[in-house]
Amino acid sequence: MTWSEVLKPIKESEYFENLWKKVKIEFKSTKCFPPKNEIFRALELTEFEDVEVVIIGQDPYHNDGQANGLCFSVSESVTAPPSLKNIFIELKDDLGIERKNKDLQDWAKQGVLLLNATLTVRAHEPNSHKNLGWETFTDYVIQQISDRKENVVFVLWGAFAQKKSALIDQNKHFIIQSAHPSPFSVYRGFFGSKPFSKINQYLKDKGKKEIVWG
């Protein structure tokens, strides 16, 4: 099954038509991120049938050149934001991997869906598109993965992402929860949580291919 088949009902709805009108107005009237052709990059790089892991973020980075359509990921041309730096610190502590590439597209191509709950943002205004209606769409994505697939790992970092656990069938899937990797909460349970080894151990136990995180 493909995303186009899975998403057909919602994409053909009046709700989505209205959402897309609002998005287009925002992009015309002010500077927004990510670039319009990268809004659905997470779904383009990780096809529905290939999803093995879902990492949920809140909304895109809001400074110039950062957002590239994948949660926590940035373009190689910019400095890694604090949350991404902390993710890499934990990766090194967990698996001994010292990662340099800031664009996480290689994770996405291995089946890690890097999904923000809100897919767009105004420049320099964090969470400015939270009321456009994106969450209806991304909640639908999460729900479809939960309903139609089995043995997917859902990674919920921080209180915002953890609310999404209500959409996930915990009898069929594995949920990893911890504090968010932002500097405000990283010492409250993100550091030392070892998400990467937990993901790979679960995939291995289910006879699936482990993710190469480096």
Side-chain angles (χ1 to χ4, degrees):
M1 201 155 208
T2 64
W3 280 123
S4 57
E5 292 169 297
V6 171
L7 299 175
K8 194 170 186 246
I10 196 164
K11 278 201 155 179
E12 290 180 354
S13 68
E14 193 179 334
Y15 144 75
F16 192 83
E17 193 182 322
N18 290 333
L19 166 66
W20 196 240
K21 274 180 194 165
K22 285 186 265 185
V23 170
K24 285 200 282 194
I25 289 165
E26 282 288 304
F27 271 75
K28 267 185 186 170
S29 60
T30 187
K31 194 176 193 180
C32 295
F33 301 123
K36 216 166 170 191
N37 65 329
E38 292 185 335
I39 291 173
F40 298 105
R41 187 168 178 239
L43 301 175
E44 287 159 8
L45 289 180
T46 313
E47 189 46 83
F48 181 78
E49 295 217 328
D50 300 329
V51 175
E52 301 290 357
V53 180
V54 181
I55 299 178
I56 298 172
Q58 190 160 335
D59 70 330
Y61 294 120
H62 53 86
N63 287 331
D64 292 325
Q66 290 182 316
N68 64 11
L70 306 177
C71 73
F72 296 107
S73 170
V74 291
S75 307
E76 295 299 342
S77 58
V78 298
T79 306
S83 292
L84 186 59
K85 282 182 184 168
N86 289 334
I87 288 167
F88 289 172
I89 289 169
E90 180 60 22
L91 176 59
K92 188 178 180 190
D93 183 61
D94 185 3
L95 293 175
I97 292 168
E98 196 151 350
R99 186 179 168 95
K100 300 284 186 224
N101 290 358
K102 295 167 282 188
D103 188 333
L104 305 179
Q105 63 175 318
D106 56 305
W107 295 3
K109 288 173 182 175
Q110 294 178 78
V112 182
L113 180 65
L114 296 159
L115 184 70
N116 275 314
T118 296
L119 297 185
T120 56
V121 69
R122 276 187 201 165
H124 318 302
E125 292 182 47
N127 228 6
S128 45
H129 283 177
K130 68 176 181 182
N131 295 323
L132 280 192
W134 274 120
E135 279 192 69
T136 302
F137 177 74
T138 54
D139 282 359
Y140 181 88
V141 168
I142 295 164
Q143 187 94 59
Q144 292 301 307
I145 294 168
S146 176
D147 290 352
R148 294 173 185 258
K149 294 180 74 78
E150 288 185 5
N151 304 325
V152 172
V153 184
F154 288 86
V155 181
L156 311 179
W157 288 330
F160 175 84
Q162 284 160 21
K163 287 178 190 161
K164 304 298 180 186
S165 64
L167 303 168
I168 303 160
D169 184 343
Q170 299 186 39
N171 296 315
K172 288 168 45 180
H173 304 290
F174 179 43
I175 295 179
I176 293 174
Q177 302 189 66
S178 79
H180 193 276
S182 90
F184 303 106
S185 55
V186 72
Y187 290 103
R188 294 190 208 141
F190 179 77
F191 281 157
S193 62
K194 303 195 178 300
F196 305 101
S197 56
K198 285 176 184 171
I199 291 166
N200 277 358
Q201 187 59 56
Y202 180 81
L203 294 175
K204 192 177 174 184
D205 290 347
K206 297 295 177 186
K208 297 182 174 193
K209 206 171 174 182
E210 294 175 55
I211 306 298
V212 178
W213 299 105

